[in-house]
Amino acid sequence: MKKEVGFVTPEERDQIQKLFERRNGLNELAKILTANDDELYQKLVKDMGETATKFQNWWNEMGAKYNWEAADNGNWEIDFNDCKIYLVTP
């Protein structure tokens, strides 16, 4: 089920969109990178961890700021076109 629970400003949307795109890019890079280049691999792992933390922190901060409805086993998602936030539950 998907239910609209709030919104963010265009500036806030841009912040999470940048993190979203970075996370996806790093995940794609991880699929093709082997552990043979240990230095590059370690940089990738570190960057993936830092990006995941920033991504989750953004959601935590915005959820607290706007007091969005939450649910057990649910997650929020954003529509990048109109800045609306949705609660998605199984």
Side-chain angles (χ1 to χ4, degrees), residues 52-65:
T53 299
K54 289 176 184 176
F55 187 83
Q56 187 59 52
N57 287 343
W58 185 92
W59 284 107
N60 294 344
E61 290 170 14
M62 295 300 115
K65 176 180 179 179

Side-chain angles (χ1 to χ4, degrees), residues 10 33 47-48 65-66 76 90:
L33 185 69
D47 199 355
M48 288 177 75
K65 176 180 179 179
Y66 292 110
W76 294 311

Side-chain angles (χ1 to χ4, degrees), residues 3-4 6 12 20 34 46-47 65 78 84 89-90:
K3 175 183 177 184
E4 184 179 335
E12 291 165 339
F20 177 79
T34 65
K46 181 181 179 207
D47 199 355
K65 176 180 179 179
I78 185 170
K84 290 181 181 176
T89 55

Side-chain angles (χ1 to χ4, degrees), residues 33-38 41:
L33 185 69
T34 65
N36 293 343
D37 184 344
D38 189 56
Y41 181 78

Side-chain angles (χ1 to χ4, degrees), residues 11 13 17 47-48:
E11 292 80 16
R13 180 233 13 231
Q17 188 169 20
D47 199 355
M48 288 177 75

Side-chain angles (χ1 to χ4, degrees), residues 18-33:
K18 182 178 176 183
L19 290 168
F20 177 79
E21 290 170 356
R22 181 168 188 83
R23 185 183 68 167
N24 287 349
L26 291 169
N27 286 338
E28 288 301 313
L29 181 58
K31 292 177 184 176
I32 60 171
L33 185 69

